[in-house]
Amino acid sequence: MANVIVVGAQWGDEGKAKVVDLLASHADACVRYQGGHNAGHTVEWQGRRFIFHLVPTGILRPEVRCFIGSGVVLDPEALFTELAGLEAMGVSSRDRIRVSYRAHLILPYHRLLERASERRRGAARIGTTGRGIGPAYEDKVGRRGIVAADLLDGDALRRKITANVARVRRLVEAEDLTAEGEAALDVEVLVASMREHGEKLAPMLADVSLELDALARAGRGLLFEGAQGTMLDVDHGTYPHVTSSSCVAAGALTSLGIGPRRVDAVIGVSKAYTTRVGEGPFPSELEAEPAAHLRRLGGEYGATTGRPRRCGWLDLCALRYAARVNGLDALALTKLDILDSLPEIPVCVGYRLGDRVIDEFPPAARDWYAARPVYEVLPAWSRPVAGARTAESLAPEVHGFVRRVEELVGAPVALICTGSDRDDIVVPRGSILRDLYPNLD
Ligand code: IMP
């Protein structure tokens, strides 16, 4: 069985969940490796909409075991709220999820720190999801974080919470210490609630690296579910306008404690256009009115925060960059149907920087803002993509679009999503997915 990483190739929200949901039906385990409940992975199935924040999307497949690895930052309250919501929708999940002992926890004071930090930045704010993700990763790297295993050790838990609360009090300002702020800094309240969460979490805790290794040795198929996207990666994204984890494929290895030889393929997911939430550079971003049109067509509002997403054309230079830094074996292209009604389909093939034209995503922040997109305009589809399920039913212009993407990105397109339903999918002939998953059809 194949071990496959599914990674976002843009700024997140590429439609990874739909790809993961499909591949999970051929895998034994589905694993989240980074990020936290800043993610919003959406699957539509039989008229119902499931939005996953922390729980791996594979949970919708009853036979799949799910793991939350060491590189994830876990808000226990968010996890239990999500599990209760899933159970209410008839998806039993608690006994199929294992959480790493080493996963770092998000406590209420992380949200307080984040609010203070964003306010202090003013116009230079990141536009975060407000979930406490960044401050939890800061505590991890600062070697003062609280990990899931600490929930089982009352003394360690109290000691760490006490020290961290004292530190946070020094950092936040008087205006943060509203009643809500004070509750987030009350040691007794925090210890009591974390112990309560610990009791519920204890049966789910596991040595995730060891369990994944055992599954891989037994020939089971592992599916690694990336969150956010390459351009939000803390090392390779548009820093500092990034999230605080390693979203790229290599992040799966360090975050889970598995070796690179375990991975058979890396699939990058990209929309047929581009969106971004939060602040930061976006060279192929559209002006307000055309962006609003694309947003309306694509329903581009954040699945976690509800914020309107910024919209623009597909940036093939950024996508080729993503193919390089992830070592993509193939691309999955999503939301092609959203372009159905457009009179033409521009794609960004280079950037004008002063009197130069370049075709690589620049390495320096100054150029991300200065870069003006150079577009190639591809023809409109002569019949709609929506709902197509075979390559033969796609218009010739769609095949032309796919070929151009493949040429400029340097990776084959292994999957095309043609609508919001779970089954609105085309797997082109020769797709690597057929080699990885012989029963795909
Ligand atoms: P944080 O991850 O909440 O710290 O936010 C950092 C940046 O990443 C902000 O621009 C967020 O909008 C963006 N971001 C975080 N998670 C996601 C996601 O799942 N999809 C898209 N953008 C995200």
Side-chain angles (χ1 to χ4, degrees):
M1 284 284 270
N3 299 331
V4 174
I5 301 176
V6 174
V7 68
Q10 300 173 302
W11 277 277
D13 306 320
E14 300 91 350
K16 293 178 289 295
K18 185 162 171 160
V19 178
V20 169
D21 176 53
L22 171 75
L23 303 185
S25 61
H26 304 274
D28 295 293
C30 183
V31 191
R32 268 288 302 272
Y33 59 86
Q34 45 69 231
H37 65 308
N38 48 351
H41 295 176
T42 308
V43 177
E44 293 189 18
W45 180 36
Q46 294 178 339
R48 293 198 299 170
R49 172 178 280 216
F50 296 86
I51 302 180
F52 300 99
H53 299 289
L54 265 170
V55 173
T57 299
I59 203 76
L60 284 181
R61 308 284 180 176
E63 62 292 349
V64 171
R65 299 176 59 186
C66 291
F67 294 89
I68 293 176
S70 309
V72 171
V73 282
L74 182 100
D75 181 331
E77 193 163 339
L79 176 67
F80 292 120
T81 303
E82 189 171 339
L83 290 175
L86 281 171
E87 274 152 26
M89 288 178 91
V91 181
S92 81
S93 38
R94 230 166 266 249
D95 52 340
R96 277 195 293 133
I97 300 186
R98 293 283 166 271
V99 175
S100 172
Y101 282 104
R102 294 171 182 266
H104 279 252
L105 300 182
I106 299 178
L107 277 79
Y109 54 71
H110 288 125
R111 284 189 290 280
L112 199 61
L113 282 170
E114 184 169 330
R115 264 204 305 279
S117 157
E118 285 283 87
R119 198 180 45 239
R120 244 177 262 132
R121 281 174 172 270
R125 69 186 175 278
I126 307 295
T128 64
T129 60
R131 302 294 189 268
I133 306 291
Y137 279 116
E138 283 180 46
D139 275 1
K140 169 178 173 167
V141 179
R143 293 166 294 188
R144 55 182 173 264
I146 299 177
V147 297
D150 291 329
L151 296 176
L152 308 180
D153 178 346
D155 292 342
L157 185 65
R158 175 175 293 276
R159 189 167 15 89
K160 289 187 177 189
I161 287 180
T162 306
N164 285 350
V165 162
R167 179 176 170 278
V168 176
R169 273 194 189 282
R170 288 195 298 276
L171 290 175
V172 299
E173 292 153 20
E175 58 195 291
D176 296 307
L177 297 177
T178 54
E180 192 197 351
E182 282 296 351
L185 291 173
D186 185 320
V187 172
E188 293 312 319
V189 170
L190 290 174
V191 170
S193 72
M194 285 296 140
R195 294 199 70 152
E196 204 177 298
H197 291 318
E199 274 168 35
K200 286 198 273 179
L201 200 60
M204 301 164 73
L205 292 179
D207 185 337
V208 169
S209 163
L210 185 67
E211 294 206 10
L212 294 180
D213 187 62
L215 287 170
R217 282 175 193 278
R220 306 288 183 181
L222 309 178
L223 183 61
F224 304 108
E225 178 177 11
Q228 290 80 51
T230 303
M231 305 310 269
L232 288 173
D233 178 276
V234 67
D235 290 298
H236 302 288
T238 48
Y239 188 90
H241 291 94
V242 293
T243 190
S244 303
S245 63
S246 295
C247 313
V248 295
L253 311 177
T254 51
S255 298
L256 294 170
I258 55 164
R261 289 178 191 281
R262 283 271 179 248
V263 178
D264 297 303
V266 182
I267 309 294
V269 185
S270 168
K271 276 180 193 159
Y273 50 99
T274 310
T275 62
R276 168 165 207 171
V277 263
E279 309 301 322
F282 179 176
S284 66
E285 182 169 17
L286 282 163
E287 301 283 326
E289 192 33 55
H293 183 57
L294 204 48
R295 185 178 306 119
R296 259 193 313 275
L297 291 173
E300 296 295 351
Y301 294 89
T304 296
T305 59
R307 290 181 290 177
R309 294 178 181 144
R310 299 158 63 192
C311 296
W313 299 124
L314 183 60
D315 184 338
L316 292 173
C317 304
L319 206 50
R320 185 166 64 251
Y321 172 77
R324 166 158 51 96
V325 299
N326 289 293
L328 295 186
D329 291 288
L331 277 170
L333 281 182
T334 64
K335 296 188 103 166
L336 265 79
D337 54 303
I338 301 308
L339 306 184
D340 272 351
S341 61
L342 298 185
E344 56 184 26
I345 298 168
V347 290
C348 172
V349 296
Y351 310 108
R352 195 173 298 284
L353 266 176
D355 52 9
R356 288 184 305 141
V357 173
I358 58 168
D359 64 1
E360 293 294 345
F361 195 78
R366 194 185 53 182
D367 293 341
W368 301 329
Y369 290 100
R372 296 286 159 260
V374 175
Y375 289 117
E376 182 174 310
V377 179
L378 302 177
W381 325 140
S382 53
R383 57 175 179 274
V385 160
R389 303 211 172 159
T390 61
E392 293 69 33
S393 59
L394 296 172
E397 297 80 9
V398 179
H399 288 286
F401 175 88
V402 168
R403 262 197 311 278
R404 198 69 185 118
V405 169
E406 293 180 329
E407 277 163 14
L408 288 177
V409 174
V413 170
L415 187 73
I416 297 168
C417 297
T418 59
S420 57
D421 193 79
R422 193 183 222 186
D423 299 321
D424 289 337
I425 275 175
V426 171
V427 185
R429 225 173 291 119
S431 165
I432 184 182
L433 295 177
R434 291 186 200 278
D435 302 330
L436 294 165
Y437 301 104
N439 300 325
L440 198 65
D441 288 322

